[in-house]
Amino acid sequence: MLTYKIRFLLAHLFVESLKDKVSVKLIRKTLNELQNDSKEKEPRLTLLRRAYDNVMKRIDGQPVGYKELAKHVLSWIVCAKRPLKTTDVQYAWAVKDSEDELDETAIPDAEDMLSACCGLVVIDKDSEIIRLAHHTAQEYFQDTWSQWFPTAHLDIAKTCVSFLSFKDFSGGPVRTYEEACKRLEIPLFTYAVDCWGHHASACCFCTPQLIELLTKSEWVSMVAQLCDLFSEIRKNPGQLSEALQPSQNAFHIVGAYGLNDLVKALLVHAPDIDPDRQDNYGKTPLSWAAGMGCPEVVKTLLTDDRVDPDRPSNGDLTPLGFAALNGRLEVVKTLLSDSRVDPDRQDDSGRTPLAWAAMKGHTEIVKTLLSDGRVDPDRQNSGGGTPLNGAAWNGHAEVVKTLLCDGRVNPNQHDKQDQTPLGLAAWYGHTEVIKALLSDGRIDPNRQDTNGQTPICLAAYNGRTEVVVTLLSDGRVDPNKQDNSGRTPLSYAAMDGHLEVVKTLLSDSRVDPDRPDDYGRTPLGWAALQGRTEIVKTLLSDDRVDPNRQDNNGATPQRYATSTGHVEIFKILFHHGRVDRE
């Protein structure tokens, strides 16, 4: 069924399509086509497709200047990596008619741009963003952009590089933060410096002119200094002394964008540029390519003897570590095939590539690393955590299952805080991980941490009702296990106000609802002390709870409520039939 907005849009588009029909016959033909399309099983899709096709045919039928302007505007909007301001698109048009600096007389009028696009484009007055008039137009062009704008990415890449080659930017990187801010405000500059590589990658843009530019250190430094991928000025504007000095070379830039043809060209034509140079983060071009998921670039760089495939960054993370961290499976396989790579190397936190892959939930990479006999699947980091701990902590059930299938993995291995994988999963509420761990017969579900708290205690303390239910379903779990202060899971749930957890625990016949801690305080006492009204009511409804039980100092729940000013709880206790009035 067509919504009123779609009906209005279609009416607008078809009225527009009739404007150039110069005879009654042509008008009738168009209207008949509309009527036939409305009978299709998918009328919305068919009608919209027909409408947008007609608009594009109208654009193609315009005088050459308007046609080219419309195609320019639409191709930039449709193929851009992010929303563009009107001035960005205007400057982009002017670049092709400029030589070594932008000719402002070549900038098209915004109204002409809108008119040429025949109603497909609008300009947001507040943001100054130029965009398609309706989301269905974006859907249409996602399917048809290569038909209407077959050279869009090449054209955009060329325009961006040409713009960045203007004499205004020929002096290399800026020297002050004020200069940087001023440059970043220039229309098109930010988009060009950020996205030229993305468009170049989409169309294999590799020309002698671009190669020559990449051999010029000033141009490369200018790009690296303000490109969002590398720019320390934009990431850390307060650290100006370091941020103003870009540290990447041409290999960093083309490697990160996956421009393998340019990597090959530079290795041949620019022997003086170091393909293994470290930037301010200690990252080499190989690390950047690995982290960004550019396997072909990785393969090319590995063929150069100057490249160390295991060179660590400032944080001791190797190219393999960056690939594992970012989920780059093909890169991981490529690096593992190089005998110079240590697949079990630890970074400055003690984490291995396997640990990073497990922590981030990259199951296929975990499997790939486990298949390499050099990898220790149970290696502890500086905090004592293993890959299994990291996967459980972050809730990656499939990774947990994969690791548990490896007999070398200890499912009860604790970190320096005595937290096991089960304890971490319980604290953070990862039910599927809990189920996976409990299915392993080696698991000790009552293992206590440094505070004496078991997984069910941690889950109750943090209000993880579903986890508590899952743990209670395992007969091995002791729901009354006390921690170093003598508190039970029920005490913690009552104290912290987790009503559903309290109800869940009370529904288990094994739970002692009145067990005191080392200070003699019961779950009811904690609920009264903390002002948990609904939990007080729930506990009082259980006949096993003694509402008059005194702690080690002789205080009852009623006295807790009085001393802490919880009037409502005092009234509930005072009027309860089993409570002795004080």
PDB file of all heavy atoms in Angstrom, residues 493-499 502-503 523-541 561 564-573:
ATOM      1  N   ALA A 493      21.267  -9.102  46.219  1.00  0.00           N
ATOM      2  CA  ALA A 493      20.123  -8.683  45.414  1.00  0.00           C
ATOM      3  C   ALA A 493      19.197  -7.786  46.233  1.00  0.00           C
ATOM      4  O   ALA A 493      18.691  -6.772  45.740  1.00  0.00           O
ATOM      5  CB  ALA A 493      19.362  -9.895  44.902  1.00  0.00           C
ATOM      6  N   ALA A 494      18.974  -8.146  47.504  1.00  0.00           N
ATOM      7  CA  ALA A 494      18.119  -7.353  48.380  1.00  0.00           C
ATOM      8  C   ALA A 494      18.758  -5.997  48.667  1.00  0.00           C
ATOM      9  O   ALA A 494      18.080  -4.961  48.653  1.00  0.00           O
ATOM     10  CB  ALA A 494      17.870  -8.111  49.680  1.00  0.00           C
ATOM     11  N   MET A 495      20.030  -5.998  48.923  1.00  0.00           N
ATOM     12  CA  MET A 495      20.751  -4.774  49.256  1.00  0.00           C
ATOM     13  C   MET A 495      20.753  -3.789  48.096  1.00  0.00           C
ATOM     14  O   MET A 495      20.574  -2.582  48.280  1.00  0.00           O
ATOM     15  CB  MET A 495      22.198  -5.135  49.630  1.00  0.00           C
ATOM     16  CG  MET A 495      23.100  -3.950  49.934  1.00  0.00           C
ATOM     17  SD  MET A 495      24.706  -4.475  50.575  1.00  0.00           S
ATOM     18  CE  MET A 495      25.326  -5.440  49.206  1.00  0.00           C
ATOM     19  N   ASP A 496      20.927  -4.286  46.868  1.00  0.00           N
ATOM     20  CA  ASP A 496      21.044  -3.407  45.712  1.00  0.00           C
ATOM     21  C   ASP A 496      19.714  -3.161  44.995  1.00  0.00           C
ATOM     22  O   ASP A 496      19.677  -2.490  43.969  1.00  0.00           O
ATOM     23  CB  ASP A 496      22.067  -3.972  44.724  1.00  0.00           C
ATOM     24  CG  ASP A 496      23.455  -3.440  45.024  1.00  0.00           C
ATOM     25  OD1 ASP A 496      23.830  -3.443  46.218  1.00  0.00           O
ATOM     26  OD2 ASP A 496      24.164  -3.005  44.094  1.00  0.00           O
ATOM     27  N   GLY A 497      18.640  -3.714  45.516  1.00  0.00           N
ATOM     28  CA  GLY A 497      17.312  -3.391  44.981  1.00  0.00           C
ATOM     29  C   GLY A 497      16.911  -4.128  43.729  1.00  0.00           C
ATOM     30  O   GLY A 497      16.100  -3.619  42.948  1.00  0.00           O
ATOM     31  N   HIS A 498      17.403  -5.325  43.529  1.00  0.00           N
ATOM     32  CA  HIS A 498      17.072  -6.086  42.324  1.00  0.00           C
ATOM     33  C   HIS A 498      15.894  -7.028  42.634  1.00  0.00           C
ATOM     34  O   HIS A 498      16.080  -8.208  42.962  1.00  0.00           O
ATOM     35  CB  HIS A 498      18.294  -6.865  41.845  1.00  0.00           C
ATOM     36  CG  HIS A 498      19.473  -5.983  41.546  1.00  0.00           C
ATOM     37  ND1 HIS A 498      19.394  -4.914  40.697  1.00  0.00           N
ATOM     38  CD2 HIS A 498      20.757  -6.023  42.002  1.00  0.00           C
ATOM     39  CE1 HIS A 498      20.573  -4.318  40.618  1.00  0.00           C
ATOM     40  NE2 HIS A 498      21.413  -4.960  41.400  1.00  0.00           N
ATOM     41  N   LEU A 499      14.695  -6.478  42.514  1.00  0.00           N
ATOM     42  CA  LEU A 499      13.489  -7.187  42.917  1.00  0.00           C
ATOM     43  C   LEU A 499      13.299  -8.496  42.158  1.00  0.00           C
ATOM     44  O   LEU A 499      12.973  -9.532  42.752  1.00  0.00           O
ATOM     45  CB  LEU A 499      12.274  -6.284  42.721  1.00  0.00           C
ATOM     46  CG  LEU A 499      10.904  -6.886  43.051  1.00  0.00           C
ATOM     47  CD1 LEU A 499      10.835  -7.304  44.515  1.00  0.00           C
ATOM     48  CD2 LEU A 499       9.789  -5.895  42.714  1.00  0.00           C
ATOM     49  N   VAL A 502      15.549 -11.129  43.401  1.00  0.00           N
ATOM     50  CA  VAL A 502      15.081 -11.616  44.706  1.00  0.00           C
ATOM     51  C   VAL A 502      13.966 -12.641  44.521  1.00  0.00           C
ATOM     52  O   VAL A 502      13.983 -13.724  45.128  1.00  0.00           O
ATOM     53  CB  VAL A 502      14.590 -10.432  45.570  1.00  0.00           C
ATOM     54  CG1 VAL A 502      13.849 -10.951  46.818  1.00  0.00           C
ATOM     55  CG2 VAL A 502      15.754  -9.556  45.983  1.00  0.00           C
ATOM     56  N   LYS A 503      12.991 -12.317  43.676  1.00  0.00           N
ATOM     57  CA  LYS A 503      11.883 -13.241  43.429  1.00  0.00           C
ATOM     58  C   LYS A 503      12.382 -14.551  42.828  1.00  0.00           C
ATOM     59  O   LYS A 503      11.901 -15.635  43.190  1.00  0.00           O
ATOM     60  CB  LYS A 503      10.871 -12.589  42.492  1.00  0.00           C
ATOM     61  CG  LYS A 503      10.099 -11.436  43.106  1.00  0.00           C
ATOM     62  CD  LYS A 503       9.135 -10.822  42.089  1.00  0.00           C
ATOM     63  CE  LYS A 503       8.319  -9.694  42.685  1.00  0.00           C
ATOM     64  NZ  LYS A 503       7.408  -9.065  41.684  1.00  0.00           N
ATOM     65  N   PRO A 523      19.027 -10.839  54.587  1.00  0.00           N
ATOM     66  CA  PRO A 523      18.560 -10.125  53.389  1.00  0.00           C
ATOM     67  C   PRO A 523      17.483  -9.091  53.714  1.00  0.00           C
ATOM     68  O   PRO A 523      17.492  -7.989  53.175  1.00  0.00           O
ATOM     69  CB  PRO A 523      18.022 -11.250  52.501  1.00  0.00           C
ATOM     70  CG  PRO A 523      18.883 -12.425  52.864  1.00  0.00           C
ATOM     71  CD  PRO A 523      19.090 -12.307  54.341  1.00  0.00           C
ATOM     72  N   LEU A 524      16.546  -9.424  54.641  1.00  0.00           N
ATOM     73  CA  LEU A 524      15.518  -8.468  55.023  1.00  0.00           C
ATOM     74  C   LEU A 524      16.134  -7.250  55.700  1.00  0.00           C
ATOM     75  O   LEU A 524      15.713  -6.105  55.468  1.00  0.00           O
ATOM     76  CB  LEU A 524      14.495  -9.123  55.955  1.00  0.00           C
ATOM     77  CG  LEU A 524      13.363  -8.203  56.455  1.00  0.00           C
ATOM     78  CD1 LEU A 524      12.536  -7.689  55.279  1.00  0.00           C
ATOM     79  CD2 LEU A 524      12.473  -8.939  57.468  1.00  0.00           C
ATOM     80  N   GLY A 525      17.123  -7.496  56.540  1.00  0.00           N
ATOM     81  CA  GLY A 525      17.814  -6.395  57.204  1.00  0.00           C
ATOM     82  C   GLY A 525      18.462  -5.454  56.197  1.00  0.00           C
ATOM     83  O   GLY A 525      18.374  -4.230  56.318  1.00  0.00           O
ATOM     84  N   TRP A 526      19.099  -6.023  55.181  1.00  0.00           N
ATOM     85  CA  TRP A 526      19.735  -5.198  54.142  1.00  0.00           C
ATOM     86  C   TRP A 526      18.695  -4.410  53.352  1.00  0.00           C
ATOM     87  O   TRP A 526      18.897  -3.234  53.034  1.00  0.00           O
ATOM     88  CB  TRP A 526      20.554  -6.078  53.193  1.00  0.00           C
ATOM     89  CG  TRP A 526      21.933  -6.366  53.682  1.00  0.00           C
ATOM     90  CD1 TRP A 526      22.433  -7.554  54.094  1.00  0.00           C
ATOM     91  CD2 TRP A 526      22.989  -5.406  53.828  1.00  0.00           C
ATOM     92  NE1 TRP A 526      23.741  -7.429  54.483  1.00  0.00           N
ATOM     93  CE2 TRP A 526      24.108  -6.110  54.326  1.00  0.00           C
ATOM     94  CE3 TRP A 526      23.103  -4.044  53.595  1.00  0.00           C
ATOM     95  CZ2 TRP A 526      25.326  -5.487  54.601  1.00  0.00           C
ATOM     96  CZ3 TRP A 526      24.313  -3.410  53.853  1.00  0.00           C
ATOM     97  CH2 TRP A 526      25.409  -4.123  54.355  1.00  0.00           C
ATOM     98  N   ALA A 527      17.586  -5.031  53.020  1.00  0.00           N
ATOM     99  CA  ALA A 527      16.537  -4.347  52.262  1.00  0.00           C
ATOM    100  C   ALA A 527      15.967  -3.185  53.072  1.00  0.00           C
ATOM    101  O   ALA A 527      15.718  -2.096  52.534  1.00  0.00           O
ATOM    102  CB  ALA A 527      15.435  -5.323  51.881  1.00  0.00           C
ATOM    103  N   ALA A 528      15.752  -3.393  54.379  1.00  0.00           N
ATOM    104  CA  ALA A 528      15.229  -2.336  55.236  1.00  0.00           C
ATOM    105  C   ALA A 528      16.236  -1.200  55.376  1.00  0.00           C
ATOM    106  O   ALA A 528      15.866  -0.020  55.339  1.00  0.00           O
ATOM    107  CB  ALA A 528      14.876  -2.906  56.608  1.00  0.00           C
ATOM    108  N   LEU A 529      17.496  -1.540  55.524  1.00  0.00           N
ATOM    109  CA  LEU A 529      18.557  -0.535  55.681  1.00  0.00           C
ATOM    110  C   LEU A 529      18.705   0.328  54.436  1.00  0.00           C
ATOM    111  O   LEU A 529      18.925   1.545  54.524  1.00  0.00           O
ATOM    112  CB  LEU A 529      19.883  -1.244  55.993  1.00  0.00           C
ATOM    113  CG  LEU A 529      21.110  -0.343  56.229  1.00  0.00           C
ATOM    114  CD1 LEU A 529      20.926   0.474  57.501  1.00  0.00           C
ATOM    115  CD2 LEU A 529      22.379  -1.179  56.313  1.00  0.00           C
ATOM    116  N   GLN A 530      18.560  -0.281  53.262  1.00  0.00           N
ATOM    117  CA  GLN A 530      18.772   0.429  51.996  1.00  0.00           C
ATOM    118  C   GLN A 530      17.498   1.041  51.424  1.00  0.00           C
ATOM    119  O   GLN A 530      17.525   1.662  50.364  1.00  0.00           O
ATOM    120  CB  GLN A 530      19.384  -0.532  50.961  1.00  0.00           C
ATOM    121  CG  GLN A 530      20.756  -1.069  51.349  1.00  0.00           C
ATOM    122  CD  GLN A 530      21.811   0.031  51.428  1.00  0.00           C
ATOM    123  OE1 GLN A 530      21.752   1.015  50.697  1.00  0.00           O
ATOM    124  NE2 GLN A 530      22.772  -0.131  52.328  1.00  0.00           N
ATOM    125  N   GLY A 531      16.374   0.857  52.099  1.00  0.00           N
ATOM    126  CA  GLY A 531      15.130   1.470  51.632  1.00  0.00           C
ATOM    127  C   GLY A 531      14.496   0.769  50.447  1.00  0.00           C
ATOM    128  O   GLY A 531      13.857   1.421  49.610  1.00  0.00           O
ATOM    129  N   ARG A 532      14.610  -0.540  50.363  1.00  0.00           N
ATOM    130  CA  ARG A 532      14.060  -1.306  49.237  1.00  0.00           C
ATOM    131  C   ARG A 532      12.654  -1.793  49.612  1.00  0.00           C
ATOM    132  O   ARG A 532      12.456  -2.941  50.045  1.00  0.00           O
ATOM    133  CB  ARG A 532      14.969  -2.481  48.897  1.00  0.00           C
ATOM    134  CG  ARG A 532      16.446  -2.156  48.786  1.00  0.00           C
ATOM    135  CD  ARG A 532      16.732  -1.122  47.716  1.00  0.00           C
ATOM    136  NE  ARG A 532      18.172  -0.931  47.531  1.00  0.00           N
ATOM    137  CZ  ARG A 532      18.710  -0.032  46.735  1.00  0.00           C
ATOM    138  NH1 ARG A 532      17.918   0.771  46.033  1.00  0.00           N
ATOM    139  NH2 ARG A 532      20.019   0.096  46.633  1.00  0.00           N
ATOM    140  N   THR A 533      11.674  -0.925  49.441  1.00  0.00           N
ATOM    141  CA  THR A 533      10.313  -1.188  49.912  1.00  0.00           C
ATOM    142  C   THR A 533       9.708  -2.456  49.321  1.00  0.00           C
ATOM    143  O   THR A 533       9.176  -3.316  50.047  1.00  0.00           O
ATOM    144  CB  THR A 533       9.402   0.009  49.583  1.00  0.00           C
ATOM    145  OG1 THR A 533       9.983   1.201  50.116  1.00  0.00           O
ATOM    146  CG2 THR A 533       8.019  -0.194  50.175  1.00  0.00           C
ATOM    147  N   GLU A 534       9.744  -2.590  47.998  1.00  0.00           N
ATOM    148  CA  GLU A 534       9.113  -3.750  47.350  1.00  0.00           C
ATOM    149  C   GLU A 534       9.806  -5.046  47.734  1.00  0.00           C
ATOM    150  O   GLU A 534       9.154  -6.108  47.843  1.00  0.00           O
ATOM    151  CB  GLU A 534       9.118  -3.565  45.836  1.00  0.00           C
ATOM    152  CG  GLU A 534       8.228  -2.428  45.352  1.00  0.00           C
ATOM    153  CD  GLU A 534       6.785  -2.592  45.820  1.00  0.00           C
ATOM    154  OE1 GLU A 534       6.259  -3.718  45.722  1.00  0.00           O
ATOM    155  OE2 GLU A 534       6.200  -1.613  46.294  1.00  0.00           O
ATOM    156  N   ILE A 535      11.098  -4.970  47.948  1.00  0.00           N
ATOM    157  CA  ILE A 535      11.830  -6.185  48.335  1.00  0.00           C
ATOM    158  C   ILE A 535      11.486  -6.563  49.773  1.00  0.00           C
ATOM    159  O   ILE A 535      11.362  -7.754  50.106  1.00  0.00           O
ATOM    160  CB  ILE A 535      13.347  -5.975  48.145  1.00  0.00           C
ATOM    161  CG1 ILE A 535      13.651  -5.902  46.649  1.00  0.00           C
ATOM    162  CG2 ILE A 535      14.144  -7.090  48.806  1.00  0.00           C
ATOM    163  CD1 ILE A 535      15.095  -5.628  46.312  1.00  0.00           C
ATOM    164  N   VAL A 536      11.303  -5.557  50.641  1.00  0.00           N
ATOM    165  CA  VAL A 536      10.870  -5.834  52.015  1.00  0.00           C
ATOM    166  C   VAL A 536       9.521  -6.576  51.993  1.00  0.00           C
ATOM    167  O   VAL A 536       9.325  -7.575  52.687  1.00  0.00           O
ATOM    168  CB  VAL A 536      10.756  -4.523  52.824  1.00  0.00           C
ATOM    169  CG1 VAL A 536      10.003  -4.768  54.140  1.00  0.00           C
ATOM    170  CG2 VAL A 536      12.134  -3.954  53.106  1.00  0.00           C
ATOM    171  N   LYS A 537       8.590  -6.090  51.177  1.00  0.00           N
ATOM    172  CA  LYS A 537       7.283  -6.745  51.060  1.00  0.00           C
ATOM    173  C   LYS A 537       7.429  -8.182  50.571  1.00  0.00           C
ATOM    174  O   LYS A 537       6.766  -9.101  51.084  1.00  0.00           O
ATOM    175  CB  LYS A 537       6.397  -5.972  50.089  1.00  0.00           C
ATOM    176  CG  LYS A 537       5.974  -4.595  50.563  1.00  0.00           C
ATOM    177  CD  LYS A 537       5.123  -3.917  49.477  1.00  0.00           C
ATOM    178  CE  LYS A 537       4.694  -2.515  49.875  1.00  0.00           C
ATOM    179  NZ  LYS A 537       3.920  -1.845  48.797  1.00  0.00           N
ATOM    180  N   THR A 538       8.277  -8.377  49.568  1.00  0.00           N
ATOM    181  CA  THR A 538       8.467  -9.714  48.982  1.00  0.00           C
ATOM    182  C   THR A 538       9.052 -10.675  50.005  1.00  0.00           C
ATOM    183  O   THR A 538       8.603 -11.830  50.125  1.00  0.00           O
ATOM    184  CB  THR A 538       9.396  -9.618  47.753  1.00  0.00           C
ATOM    185  OG1 THR A 538       8.795  -8.760  46.777  1.00  0.00           O
ATOM    186  CG2 THR A 538       9.633 -10.989  47.144  1.00  0.00           C
ATOM    187  N   LEU A 539      10.042 -10.227  50.771  1.00  0.00           N
ATOM    188  CA  LEU A 539      10.674 -11.098  51.766  1.00  0.00           C
ATOM    189  C   LEU A 539       9.715 -11.409  52.913  1.00  0.00           C
ATOM    190  O   LEU A 539       9.684 -12.540  53.430  1.00  0.00           O
ATOM    191  CB  LEU A 539      11.944 -10.435  52.299  1.00  0.00           C
ATOM    192  CG  LEU A 539      13.121 -10.400  51.313  1.00  0.00           C
ATOM    193  CD1 LEU A 539      14.210  -9.442  51.781  1.00  0.00           C
ATOM    194  CD2 LEU A 539      13.710 -11.803  51.127  1.00  0.00           C
ATOM    195  N   LEU A 540       8.934 -10.430  53.295  1.00  0.00           N
ATOM    196  CA  LEU A 540       7.966 -10.665  54.385  1.00  0.00           C
ATOM    197  C   LEU A 540       6.895 -11.672  53.999  1.00  0.00           C
ATOM    198  O   LEU A 540       6.291 -12.327  54.871  1.00  0.00           O
ATOM    199  CB  LEU A 540       7.301  -9.343  54.789  1.00  0.00           C
ATOM    200  CG  LEU A 540       8.153  -8.368  55.605  1.00  0.00           C
ATOM    201  CD1 LEU A 540       7.417  -7.058  55.807  1.00  0.00           C
ATOM    202  CD2 LEU A 540       8.531  -8.980  56.965  1.00  0.00           C
ATOM    203  N   SER A 541       6.662 -11.813  52.675  1.00  0.00           N
ATOM    204  CA  SER A 541       5.643 -12.776  52.223  1.00  0.00           C
ATOM    205  C   SER A 541       6.145 -14.210  52.302  1.00  0.00           C
ATOM    206  O   SER A 541       5.376 -15.152  52.093  1.00  0.00           O
ATOM    207  CB  SER A 541       5.226 -12.454  50.791  1.00  0.00           C
ATOM    208  OG  SER A 541       6.306 -12.685  49.885  1.00  0.00           O
ATOM    209  N   ALA A 561      15.097   0.529  59.598  1.00  0.00           N
ATOM    210  CA  ALA A 561      14.205   1.443  58.892  1.00  0.00           C
ATOM    211  C   ALA A 561      14.043   2.742  59.677  1.00  0.00           C
ATOM    212  O   ALA A 561      14.000   3.840  59.093  1.00  0.00           O
ATOM    213  CB  ALA A 561      12.845   0.786  58.669  1.00  0.00           C
ATOM    214  N   THR A 564      17.357   4.930  59.567  1.00  0.00           N
ATOM    215  CA  THR A 564      17.698   5.487  58.248  1.00  0.00           C
ATOM    216  C   THR A 564      16.572   6.332  57.661  1.00  0.00           C
ATOM    217  O   THR A 564      16.699   6.846  56.543  1.00  0.00           O
ATOM    218  CB  THR A 564      18.050   4.351  57.263  1.00  0.00           C
ATOM    219  OG1 THR A 564      16.995   3.386  57.254  1.00  0.00           O
ATOM    220  CG2 THR A 564      19.362   3.695  57.649  1.00  0.00           C
ATOM    221  N   GLY A 565      15.476   6.466  58.385  1.00  0.00           N
ATOM    222  CA  GLY A 565      14.398   7.346  57.940  1.00  0.00           C
ATOM    223  C   GLY A 565      13.528   6.792  56.839  1.00  0.00           C
ATOM    224  O   GLY A 565      12.850   7.551  56.140  1.00  0.00           O
ATOM    225  N   HIS A 566      13.493   5.482  56.686  1.00  0.00           N
ATOM    226  CA  HIS A 566      12.644   4.877  55.658  1.00  0.00           C
ATOM    227  C   HIS A 566      11.253   4.628  56.264  1.00  0.00           C
ATOM    228  O   HIS A 566      10.922   3.523  56.720  1.00  0.00           O
ATOM    229  CB  HIS A 566      13.271   3.583  55.153  1.00  0.00           C
ATOM    230  CG  HIS A 566      14.617   3.781  54.498  1.00  0.00           C
ATOM    231  ND1 HIS A 566      14.825   4.692  53.494  1.00  0.00           N
ATOM    232  CD2 HIS A 566      15.822   3.189  54.733  1.00  0.00           C
ATOM    233  CE1 HIS A 566      16.090   4.655  53.115  1.00  0.00           C
ATOM    234  NE2 HIS A 566      16.718   3.761  53.855  1.00  0.00           N
ATOM    235  N   VAL A 567      10.450   5.679  56.267  1.00  0.00           N
ATOM    236  CA  VAL A 567       9.161   5.678  56.960  1.00  0.00           C
ATOM    237  C   VAL A 567       8.216   4.613  56.413  1.00  0.00           C
ATOM    238  O   VAL A 567       7.541   3.905  57.176  1.00  0.00           O
ATOM    239  CB  VAL A 567       8.504   7.071  56.854  1.00  0.00           C
ATOM    240  CG1 VAL A 567       7.132   7.064  57.534  1.00  0.00           C
ATOM    241  CG2 VAL A 567       9.392   8.129  57.470  1.00  0.00           C
ATOM    242  N   GLU A 568       8.150   4.486  55.086  1.00  0.00           N
ATOM    243  CA  GLU A 568       7.231   3.533  54.485  1.00  0.00           C
ATOM    244  C   GLU A 568       7.567   2.104  54.912  1.00  0.00           C
ATOM    245  O   GLU A 568       6.660   1.302  55.223  1.00  0.00           O
ATOM    246  CB  GLU A 568       7.275   3.652  52.966  1.00  0.00           C
ATOM    247  CG  GLU A 568       6.290   2.767  52.230  1.00  0.00           C
ATOM    248  CD  GLU A 568       4.843   3.125  52.507  1.00  0.00           C
ATOM    249  OE1 GLU A 568       4.570   4.293  52.873  1.00  0.00           O
ATOM    250  OE2 GLU A 568       3.984   2.239  52.373  1.00  0.00           O
ATOM    251  N   ILE A 569       8.851   1.799  54.954  1.00  0.00           N
ATOM    252  CA  ILE A 569       9.270   0.457  55.358  1.00  0.00           C
ATOM    253  C   ILE A 569       8.978   0.246  56.841  1.00  0.00           C
ATOM    254  O   ILE A 569       8.545  -0.840  57.258  1.00  0.00           O
ATOM    255  CB  ILE A 569      10.768   0.244  55.044  1.00  0.00           C
ATOM    256  CG1 ILE A 569      10.958   0.185  53.531  1.00  0.00           C
ATOM    257  CG2 ILE A 569      11.287  -1.026  55.706  1.00  0.00           C
ATOM    258  CD1 ILE A 569      12.401   0.047  53.089  1.00  0.00           C
ATOM    259  N   PHE A 570       9.207   1.297  57.630  1.00  0.00           N
ATOM    260  CA  PHE A 570       8.880   1.182  59.069  1.00  0.00           C
ATOM    261  C   PHE A 570       7.402   0.855  59.254  1.00  0.00           C
ATOM    262  O   PHE A 570       7.038  -0.003  60.052  1.00  0.00           O
ATOM    263  CB  PHE A 570       9.223   2.490  59.784  1.00  0.00           C
ATOM    264  CG  PHE A 570       8.730   2.526  61.209  1.00  0.00           C
ATOM    265  CD1 PHE A 570       9.412   1.850  62.219  1.00  0.00           C
ATOM    266  CD2 PHE A 570       7.552   3.195  61.536  1.00  0.00           C
ATOM    267  CE1 PHE A 570       8.945   1.861  63.530  1.00  0.00           C
ATOM    268  CE2 PHE A 570       7.071   3.209  62.833  1.00  0.00           C
ATOM    269  CZ  PHE A 570       7.766   2.537  63.833  1.00  0.00           C
ATOM    270  N   LYS A 571       6.532   1.534  58.518  1.00  0.00           N
ATOM    271  CA  LYS A 571       5.097   1.281  58.629  1.00  0.00           C
ATOM    272  C   LYS A 571       4.751  -0.154  58.241  1.00  0.00           C
ATOM    273  O   LYS A 571       3.927  -0.808  58.892  1.00  0.00           O
ATOM    274  CB  LYS A 571       4.321   2.258  57.741  1.00  0.00           C
ATOM    275  CG  LYS A 571       4.354   3.704  58.220  1.00  0.00           C
ATOM    276  CD  LYS A 571       3.577   4.605  57.251  1.00  0.00           C
ATOM    277  CE  LYS A 571       3.566   6.044  57.714  1.00  0.00           C
ATOM    278  NZ  LYS A 571       2.844   6.937  56.747  1.00  0.00           N
ATOM    279  N   ILE A 572       5.365  -0.622  57.143  1.00  0.00           N
ATOM    280  CA  ILE A 572       5.096  -1.991  56.682  1.00  0.00           C
ATOM    281  C   ILE A 572       5.472  -2.992  57.763  1.00  0.00           C
ATOM    282  O   ILE A 572       4.713  -3.932  58.069  1.00  0.00           O
ATOM    283  CB  ILE A 572       5.872  -2.279  55.375  1.00  0.00           C
ATOM    284  CG1 ILE A 572       5.304  -1.446  54.226  1.00  0.00           C
ATOM    285  CG2 ILE A 572       5.825  -3.765  55.029  1.00  0.00           C
ATOM    286  CD1 ILE A 572       6.149  -1.476  52.965  1.00  0.00           C
ATOM    287  N   LEU A 573       6.638  -2.799  58.349  1.00  0.00           N
ATOM    288  CA  LEU A 573       7.100  -3.716  59.398  1.00  0.00           C
ATOM    289  C   LEU A 573       6.264  -3.576  60.664  1.00  0.00           C
ATOM    290  O   LEU A 573       5.908  -4.574  61.311  1.00  0.00           O
ATOM    291  CB  LEU A 573       8.585  -3.435  59.695  1.00  0.00           C
ATOM    292  CG  LEU A 573       9.578  -3.835  58.601  1.00  0.00           C
ATOM    293  CD1 LEU A 573      10.939  -3.202  58.841  1.00  0.00           C
ATOM    294  CD2 LEU A 573       9.721  -5.359  58.537  1.00  0.00           C
TER     295      LEU A 573
END
